[in-house]
Amino acid sequence: QTCVLPGVISYSAVISACEKDQQWQQALGLLARMRQACILPGAISYSAVISACEKDQQWQQALGLPELMQQTRVLLGVISYSAVISACEKGQRWQQALGLLALIQRTAILPNVISLSAAISACEKVQQWQQALGLMALMQQTCVLPGVISYSAVIRACKKDQQWQQALGLLAVMRQTCILPGAISYSAVIRACEKDQHWQQALGLL
């Protein structure tokens, strides 16, 4: 019998399989085994583990992996950062999500629509409408085009804090930029108007 030692490609393939099946514990265990066997995991392996943690809302596990990547001098890309931000969003950790965005900017990596939208959703879930609006402005500064998902998340954040004027303004911007608001966007603006007793605006939207 021949003894074939698995390499980085074999480990990465198994980690990717675990990621697709949301087996984050198995993925983390394989990453630890690679390090014990002095096999340096690459960006693909780390990204798969981060995605596995993100899918199962394991934000704490995902948050620790970028630091581990830096220690082993593995270059982090916007995809890896976006997955960690998405994990923070699912765990309603908006401050950690914003911290990661700031870290991306310090390392001269341009955030993309996925990372910014995830951070906006994290702020929306805890009614941080001002932070969500700030992220929309950051999108414009970095030439990232927000889509209906990004706008809808900010509108929902405004709805929860009864910021009906902000919500109406965002709806108008969507239409000006040829982004078609969906039923979710309209419903959120109507609820914002309803909560602040602006029934005429709500009726007009309906």
Side-chain angles (χ1 to χ4, degrees):
Q1 293 182 352
T2 58
C3 182
V4 179
L5 295 176
V8 65
I9 296 174
S10 304
Y11 272 109
S12 297
V14 181
I15 289 172
S16 294
C18 293
E19 176 259 326
K20 289 175 183 176
D21 202 34
Q22 299 184 24
Q23 298 292 325
W24 66 273
Q25 291 171 310
Q26 297 284 359
L28 275 174
L30 286 165
L31 194 68
R33 285 175 61 182
M34 288 179 77
R35 290 166 58 85
Q36 289 170 2
C38 298
I39 299 171
L40 291 177
I44 295 173
S45 304
Y46 277 109
S47 296
V49 178
I50 289 170
S51 294
C53 294
E54 176 257 325
K55 287 179 180 178
D56 208 27
Q57 303 183 26
Q58 295 293 323
W59 67 270
Q60 290 173 307
Q61 301 289 348
L63 202 59
L65 289 169
E67 184 179 350
L68 189 61
M69 291 174 76
Q70 290 177 333
Q71 291 173 2
T72 53
R73 297 182 180 180
V74 177
L75 293 176
L76 285 83
V78 69
I79 295 174
S80 300
Y81 275 116
S82 297
V84 182
I85 292 171
S86 294
C88 292
E89 176 255 323
K90 290 178 180 176
Q92 299 186 21
R93 300 289 169 172
W94 66 276
Q95 292 171 311
Q96 285 83 351
L98 291 182
L100 284 165
L101 272 180
L103 183 60
I104 289 175
Q105 292 177 291
R106 287 200 299 271
T107 52
I109 297 173
L110 289 176
N112 60 11
V113 67
I114 297 172
S115 53
L116 286 165
S117 296
I120 287 171
S121 294
C123 294
E124 174 258 320
K125 287 182 177 178
V126 290
Q127 302 180 30
Q128 292 291 327
W129 66 271
Q130 292 172 311
Q131 298 288 354
L133 280 175
L135 290 170
M136 286 291 290
L138 180 60
M139 276 188 161
Q140 295 173 341
Q141 293 169 11
T142 53
C143 298
V144 176
L145 294 175
V148 66
I149 295 173
S150 306
Y151 274 109
S152 296
V154 183
I155 288 171
R156 287 196 301 271
C158 293
K159 175 203 75 173
K160 291 177 181 177
D161 209 27
Q162 299 182 27
Q163 297 294 320
W164 67 274
Q165 291 172 310
Q166 298 284 1
L168 275 175
L170 286 164
L171 196 66
V173 172
M174 288 179 77
R175 298 179 67 177
Q176 289 168 6
T177 52
C178 299
I179 298 172
L180 292 176
I184 295 173
S185 304
Y186 275 110
S187 297
V189 180
I190 289 169
R191 288 294 302 277
C193 293
E194 175 259 327
K195 283 187 176 182
D196 212 23
Q197 299 181 15
H198 287 271
W199 64 270
Q200 290 173 314
Q201 284 82 357
L203 192 61
L205 288 168
L206 189 62

PDB file of all heavy atoms in Angstrom, residues 12-37:
ATOM      1  N   SER A  12      -8.674  21.760   0.354  1.00  0.00           N
ATOM      2  CA  SER A  12      -9.564  22.839  -0.097  1.00  0.00           C
ATOM      3  C   SER A  12     -10.833  22.287  -0.721  1.00  0.00           C
ATOM      4  O   SER A  12     -11.924  22.835  -0.531  1.00  0.00           O
ATOM      5  CB  SER A  12      -8.829  23.737  -1.102  1.00  0.00           C
ATOM      6  OG  SER A  12      -7.723  24.375  -0.497  1.00  0.00           O
ATOM      7  N   ALA A  13     -10.688  21.188  -1.469  1.00  0.00           N
ATOM      8  CA  ALA A  13     -11.855  20.576  -2.103  1.00  0.00           C
ATOM      9  C   ALA A  13     -12.837  20.042  -1.050  1.00  0.00           C
ATOM     10  O   ALA A  13     -14.061  20.212  -1.177  1.00  0.00           O
ATOM     11  CB  ALA A  13     -11.421  19.447  -3.033  1.00  0.00           C
ATOM     12  N   VAL A  14     -12.307  19.402  -0.008  1.00  0.00           N
ATOM     13  CA  VAL A  14     -13.174  18.860   1.048  1.00  0.00           C
ATOM     14  C   VAL A  14     -13.817  20.005   1.843  1.00  0.00           C
ATOM     15  O   VAL A  14     -15.003  19.944   2.189  1.00  0.00           O
ATOM     16  CB  VAL A  14     -12.385  17.930   1.988  1.00  0.00           C
ATOM     17  CG1 VAL A  14     -13.300  17.365   3.068  1.00  0.00           C
ATOM     18  CG2 VAL A  14     -11.750  16.795   1.205  1.00  0.00           C
ATOM     19  N   ILE A  15     -13.049  21.057   2.097  1.00  0.00           N
ATOM     20  CA  ILE A  15     -13.592  22.220   2.810  1.00  0.00           C
ATOM     21  C   ILE A  15     -14.725  22.853   2.005  1.00  0.00           C
ATOM     22  O   ILE A  15     -15.760  23.234   2.559  1.00  0.00           O
ATOM     23  CB  ILE A  15     -12.476  23.249   3.103  1.00  0.00           C
ATOM     24  CG1 ILE A  15     -11.530  22.717   4.187  1.00  0.00           C
ATOM     25  CG2 ILE A  15     -13.068  24.588   3.553  1.00  0.00           C
ATOM     26  CD1 ILE A  15     -10.291  23.567   4.403  1.00  0.00           C
ATOM     27  N   SER A  16     -14.534  22.959   0.699  1.00  0.00           N
ATOM     28  CA  SER A  16     -15.573  23.518  -0.166  1.00  0.00           C
ATOM     29  C   SER A  16     -16.840  22.661  -0.127  1.00  0.00           C
ATOM     30  O   SER A  16     -17.960  23.187  -0.140  1.00  0.00           O
ATOM     31  CB  SER A  16     -15.071  23.635  -1.608  1.00  0.00           C
ATOM     32  OG  SER A  16     -14.021  24.579  -1.696  1.00  0.00           O
ATOM     33  N   ALA A  17     -16.651  21.345  -0.075  1.00  0.00           N
ATOM     34  CA  ALA A  17     -17.806  20.443   0.031  1.00  0.00           C
ATOM     35  C   ALA A  17     -18.547  20.667   1.354  1.00  0.00           C
ATOM     36  O   ALA A  17     -19.787  20.672   1.395  1.00  0.00           O
ATOM     37  CB  ALA A  17     -17.350  18.994  -0.079  1.00  0.00           C
ATOM     38  N   CYS A  18     -17.793  20.856   2.429  1.00  0.00           N
ATOM     39  CA  CYS A  18     -18.405  21.128   3.741  1.00  0.00           C
ATOM     40  C   CYS A  18     -19.140  22.471   3.725  1.00  0.00           C
ATOM     41  O   CYS A  18     -20.225  22.612   4.304  1.00  0.00           O
ATOM     42  CB  CYS A  18     -17.338  21.143   4.836  1.00  0.00           C
ATOM     43  SG  CYS A  18     -16.567  19.539   5.141  1.00  0.00           S
ATOM     44  N   GLU A  19     -18.548  23.439   3.041  1.00  0.00           N
ATOM     45  CA  GLU A  19     -19.167  24.772   2.953  1.00  0.00           C
ATOM     46  C   GLU A  19     -20.509  24.702   2.249  1.00  0.00           C
ATOM     47  O   GLU A  19     -21.496  25.309   2.683  1.00  0.00           O
ATOM     48  CB  GLU A  19     -18.211  25.718   2.226  1.00  0.00           C
ATOM     49  CG  GLU A  19     -18.777  27.111   1.996  1.00  0.00           C
ATOM     50  CD  GLU A  19     -19.280  27.318   0.589  1.00  0.00           C
ATOM     51  OE1 GLU A  19     -18.697  26.747  -0.337  1.00  0.00           O
ATOM     52  OE2 GLU A  19     -20.260  28.068   0.419  1.00  0.00           O
ATOM     53  N   LYS A  20     -20.574  23.940   1.172  1.00  0.00           N
ATOM     54  CA  LYS A  20     -21.826  23.822   0.421  1.00  0.00           C
ATOM     55  C   LYS A  20     -22.910  23.114   1.226  1.00  0.00           C
ATOM     56  O   LYS A  20     -24.106  23.352   1.010  1.00  0.00           O
ATOM     57  CB  LYS A  20     -21.567  23.079  -0.888  1.00  0.00           C
ATOM     58  CG  LYS A  20     -20.758  23.909  -1.885  1.00  0.00           C
ATOM     59  CD  LYS A  20     -20.401  23.108  -3.127  1.00  0.00           C
ATOM     60  CE  LYS A  20     -19.540  23.950  -4.061  1.00  0.00           C
ATOM     61  NZ  LYS A  20     -19.075  23.176  -5.243  1.00  0.00           N
ATOM     62  N   ASP A  21     -22.498  22.257   2.154  1.00  0.00           N
ATOM     63  CA  ASP A  21     -23.462  21.524   2.976  1.00  0.00           C
ATOM     64  C   ASP A  21     -23.634  22.164   4.361  1.00  0.00           C
ATOM     65  O   ASP A  21     -24.211  21.556   5.264  1.00  0.00           O
ATOM     66  CB  ASP A  21     -23.015  20.064   3.131  1.00  0.00           C
ATOM     67  CG  ASP A  21     -24.175  19.144   3.491  1.00  0.00           C
ATOM     68  OD1 ASP A  21     -25.309  19.399   3.034  1.00  0.00           O
ATOM     69  OD2 ASP A  21     -23.948  18.172   4.237  1.00  0.00           O
ATOM     70  N   GLN A  22     -23.085  23.391   4.506  1.00  0.00           N
ATOM     71  CA  GLN A  22     -23.198  24.155   5.746  1.00  0.00           C
ATOM     72  C   GLN A  22     -22.616  23.421   6.952  1.00  0.00           C
ATOM     73  O   GLN A  22     -23.134  23.504   8.068  1.00  0.00           O
ATOM     74  CB  GLN A  22     -24.656  24.548   6.003  1.00  0.00           C
ATOM     75  CG  GLN A  22     -25.255  25.419   4.910  1.00  0.00           C
ATOM     76  CD  GLN A  22     -26.663  25.877   5.221  1.00  0.00           C
ATOM     77  OE1 GLN A  22     -27.067  25.948   6.372  1.00  0.00           O
ATOM     78  NE2 GLN A  22     -27.424  26.212   4.203  1.00  0.00           N
ATOM     79  N   GLN A  23     -21.534  22.702   6.740  1.00  0.00           N
ATOM     80  CA  GLN A  23     -20.853  21.979   7.826  1.00  0.00           C
ATOM     81  C   GLN A  23     -19.676  22.829   8.311  1.00  0.00           C
ATOM     82  O   GLN A  23     -18.513  22.528   8.062  1.00  0.00           O
ATOM     83  CB  GLN A  23     -20.384  20.611   7.329  1.00  0.00           C
ATOM     84  CG  GLN A  23     -21.498  19.689   6.884  1.00  0.00           C
ATOM     85  CD  GLN A  23     -22.373  19.241   8.048  1.00  0.00           C
ATOM     86  OE1 GLN A  23     -21.902  19.039   9.164  1.00  0.00           O
ATOM     87  NE2 GLN A  23     -23.662  19.090   7.779  1.00  0.00           N
ATOM     88  N   TRP A  24     -19.994  23.907   9.034  1.00  0.00           N
ATOM     89  CA  TRP A  24     -18.950  24.860   9.416  1.00  0.00           C
ATOM     90  C   TRP A  24     -17.960  24.249  10.413  1.00  0.00           C
ATOM     91  O   TRP A  24     -16.758  24.569  10.371  1.00  0.00           O
ATOM     92  CB  TRP A  24     -19.577  26.127   9.996  1.00  0.00           C
ATOM     93  CG  TRP A  24     -20.304  25.939  11.291  1.00  0.00           C
ATOM     94  CD1 TRP A  24     -21.601  25.572  11.459  1.00  0.00           C
ATOM     95  CD2 TRP A  24     -19.772  26.095  12.614  1.00  0.00           C
ATOM     96  NE1 TRP A  24     -21.913  25.491  12.797  1.00  0.00           N
ATOM     97  CE2 TRP A  24     -20.812  25.816  13.519  1.00  0.00           C
ATOM     98  CE3 TRP A  24     -18.516  26.458  13.105  1.00  0.00           C
ATOM     99  CZ2 TRP A  24     -20.641  25.880  14.896  1.00  0.00           C
ATOM    100  CZ3 TRP A  24     -18.323  26.527  14.483  1.00  0.00           C
ATOM    101  CH2 TRP A  24     -19.384  26.239  15.372  1.00  0.00           C
ATOM    102  N   GLN A  25     -18.430  23.383  11.298  1.00  0.00           N
ATOM    103  CA  GLN A  25     -17.526  22.773  12.276  1.00  0.00           C
ATOM    104  C   GLN A  25     -16.506  21.862  11.598  1.00  0.00           C
ATOM    105  O   GLN A  25     -15.325  21.863  11.941  1.00  0.00           O
ATOM    106  CB  GLN A  25     -18.328  22.001  13.325  1.00  0.00           C
ATOM    107  CG  GLN A  25     -19.147  22.908  14.240  1.00  0.00           C
ATOM    108  CD  GLN A  25     -20.106  22.141  15.118  1.00  0.00           C
ATOM    109  OE1 GLN A  25     -20.862  21.298  14.633  1.00  0.00           O
ATOM    110  NE2 GLN A  25     -20.107  22.421  16.411  1.00  0.00           N
ATOM    111  N   GLN A  26     -16.989  21.086  10.610  1.00  0.00           N
ATOM    112  CA  GLN A  26     -16.084  20.228   9.853  1.00  0.00           C
ATOM    113  C   GLN A  26     -15.064  21.065   9.077  1.00  0.00           C
ATOM    114  O   GLN A  26     -13.882  20.718   9.008  1.00  0.00           O
ATOM    115  CB  GLN A  26     -16.896  19.363   8.872  1.00  0.00           C
ATOM    116  CG  GLN A  26     -17.872  18.397   9.530  1.00  0.00           C
ATOM    117  CD  GLN A  26     -17.163  17.189  10.133  1.00  0.00           C
ATOM    118  OE1 GLN A  26     -15.949  17.055  10.043  1.00  0.00           O
ATOM    119  NE2 GLN A  26     -17.922  16.301  10.756  1.00  0.00           N
ATOM    120  N   ALA A  27     -15.549  22.167   8.490  1.00  0.00           N
ATOM    121  CA  ALA A  27     -14.658  23.039   7.719  1.00  0.00           C
ATOM    122  C   ALA A  27     -13.566  23.645   8.608  1.00  0.00           C
ATOM    123  O   ALA A  27     -12.388  23.672   8.236  1.00  0.00           O
ATOM    124  CB  ALA A  27     -15.469  24.138   7.041  1.00  0.00           C
ATOM    125  N   LEU A  28     -13.960  24.100   9.802  1.00  0.00           N
ATOM    126  CA  LEU A  28     -12.977  24.660  10.745  1.00  0.00           C
ATOM    127  C   LEU A  28     -11.990  23.595  11.198  1.00  0.00           C
ATOM    128  O   LEU A  28     -10.790  23.860  11.354  1.00  0.00           O
ATOM    129  CB  LEU A  28     -13.691  25.254  11.956  1.00  0.00           C
ATOM    130  CG  LEU A  28     -14.208  26.683  11.832  1.00  0.00           C
ATOM    131  CD1 LEU A  28     -15.014  27.063  13.067  1.00  0.00           C
ATOM    132  CD2 LEU A  28     -13.049  27.668  11.646  1.00  0.00           C
ATOM    133  N   GLY A  29     -12.505  22.368  11.413  1.00  0.00           N
ATOM    134  CA  GLY A  29     -11.626  21.269  11.828  1.00  0.00           C
ATOM    135  C   GLY A  29     -10.591  20.934  10.763  1.00  0.00           C
ATOM    136  O   GLY A  29      -9.421  20.677  11.081  1.00  0.00           O
ATOM    137  N   LEU A  30     -10.996  20.957   9.511  1.00  0.00           N
ATOM    138  CA  LEU A  30     -10.060  20.682   8.411  1.00  0.00           C
ATOM    139  C   LEU A  30      -9.010  21.780   8.300  1.00  0.00           C
ATOM    140  O   LEU A  30      -7.842  21.502   8.009  1.00  0.00           O
ATOM    141  CB  LEU A  30     -10.829  20.546   7.103  1.00  0.00           C
ATOM    142  CG  LEU A  30     -11.633  19.245   6.940  1.00  0.00           C
ATOM    143  CD1 LEU A  30     -12.637  19.374   5.811  1.00  0.00           C
ATOM    144  CD2 LEU A  30     -10.675  18.070   6.673  1.00  0.00           C
ATOM    145  N   LEU A  31      -9.410  22.996   8.548  1.00  0.00           N
ATOM    146  CA  LEU A  31      -8.467  24.113   8.512  1.00  0.00           C
ATOM    147  C   LEU A  31      -7.414  23.953   9.606  1.00  0.00           C
ATOM    148  O   LEU A  31      -6.215  24.185   9.382  1.00  0.00           O
ATOM    149  CB  LEU A  31      -9.219  25.432   8.684  1.00  0.00           C
ATOM    150  CG  LEU A  31      -8.451  26.717   8.356  1.00  0.00           C
ATOM    151  CD1 LEU A  31      -8.157  26.801   6.863  1.00  0.00           C
ATOM    152  CD2 LEU A  31      -9.270  27.940   8.782  1.00  0.00           C
ATOM    153  N   ALA A  32      -7.859  23.518  10.792  1.00  0.00           N
ATOM    154  CA  ALA A  32      -6.923  23.281  11.897  1.00  0.00           C
ATOM    155  C   ALA A  32      -5.969  22.131  11.567  1.00  0.00           C
ATOM    156  O   ALA A  32      -4.766  22.194  11.876  1.00  0.00           O
ATOM    157  CB  ALA A  32      -7.706  22.982  13.171  1.00  0.00           C
ATOM    158  N   ARG A  33      -6.484  21.081  10.924  1.00  0.00           N
ATOM    159  CA  ARG A  33      -5.636  19.939  10.542  1.00  0.00           C
ATOM    160  C   ARG A  33      -4.583  20.346   9.521  1.00  0.00           C
ATOM    161  O   ARG A  33      -3.442  19.859   9.566  1.00  0.00           O
ATOM    162  CB  ARG A  33      -6.510  18.806   9.997  1.00  0.00           C
ATOM    163  CG  ARG A  33      -7.263  18.052  11.088  1.00  0.00           C
ATOM    164  CD  ARG A  33      -8.222  17.022  10.521  1.00  0.00           C
ATOM    165  NE  ARG A  33      -7.524  15.997   9.741  1.00  0.00           N
ATOM    166  CZ  ARG A  33      -8.148  14.997   9.111  1.00  0.00           C
ATOM    167  NH1 ARG A  33      -9.469  14.901   9.177  1.00  0.00           N
ATOM    168  NH2 ARG A  33      -7.459  14.103   8.441  1.00  0.00           N
ATOM    169  N   MET A  34      -4.948  21.224   8.617  1.00  0.00           N
ATOM    170  CA  MET A  34      -3.977  21.716   7.639  1.00  0.00           C
ATOM    171  C   MET A  34      -2.813  22.424   8.332  1.00  0.00           C
ATOM    172  O   MET A  34      -1.638  22.188   8.011  1.00  0.00           O
ATOM    173  CB  MET A  34      -4.646  22.683   6.656  1.00  0.00           C
ATOM    174  CG  MET A  34      -5.587  22.047   5.663  1.00  0.00           C
ATOM    175  SD  MET A  34      -6.366  23.254   4.546  1.00  0.00           S
ATOM    176  CE  MET A  34      -4.995  23.589   3.407  1.00  0.00           C
ATOM    177  N   ARG A  35      -3.152  23.269   9.286  1.00  0.00           N
ATOM    178  CA  ARG A  35      -2.119  24.012  10.006  1.00  0.00           C
ATOM    179  C   ARG A  35      -1.240  23.077  10.835  1.00  0.00           C
ATOM    180  O   ARG A  35      -0.023  23.275  10.927  1.00  0.00           O
ATOM    181  CB  ARG A  35      -2.773  25.083  10.895  1.00  0.00           C
ATOM    182  CG  ARG A  35      -3.405  26.233  10.079  1.00  0.00           C
ATOM    183  CD  ARG A  35      -4.325  27.102  10.938  1.00  0.00           C
ATOM    184  NE  ARG A  35      -3.623  27.668  12.075  1.00  0.00           N
ATOM    185  CZ  ARG A  35      -2.908  28.792  12.039  1.00  0.00           C
ATOM    186  NH1 ARG A  35      -2.791  29.461  10.903  1.00  0.00           N
ATOM    187  NH2 ARG A  35      -2.308  29.256  13.123  1.00  0.00           N
ATOM    188  N   GLN A  36      -1.850  22.054  11.448  1.00  0.00           N
ATOM    189  CA  GLN A  36      -1.082  21.085  12.235  1.00  0.00           C
ATOM    190  C   GLN A  36      -0.123  20.285  11.356  1.00  0.00           C
ATOM    191  O   GLN A  36       0.962  19.900  11.800  1.00  0.00           O
ATOM    192  CB  GLN A  36      -2.041  20.139  12.960  1.00  0.00           C
ATOM    193  CG  GLN A  36      -2.817  20.795  14.102  1.00  0.00           C
ATOM    194  CD  GLN A  36      -3.926  19.913  14.637  1.00  0.00           C
ATOM    195  OE1 GLN A  36      -4.111  18.776  14.185  1.00  0.00           O
ATOM    196  NE2 GLN A  36      -4.681  20.420  15.613  1.00  0.00           N
ATOM    197  N   ALA A  37      -0.542  20.041  10.112  1.00  0.00           N
ATOM    198  CA  ALA A  37       0.293  19.278   9.179  1.00  0.00           C
ATOM    199  C   ALA A  37       1.260  20.172   8.407  1.00  0.00           C
ATOM    200  O   ALA A  37       1.902  19.714   7.451  1.00  0.00           O
ATOM    201  CB  ALA A  37      -0.596  18.525   8.188  1.00  0.00           C
TER     202      ALA A  37
END
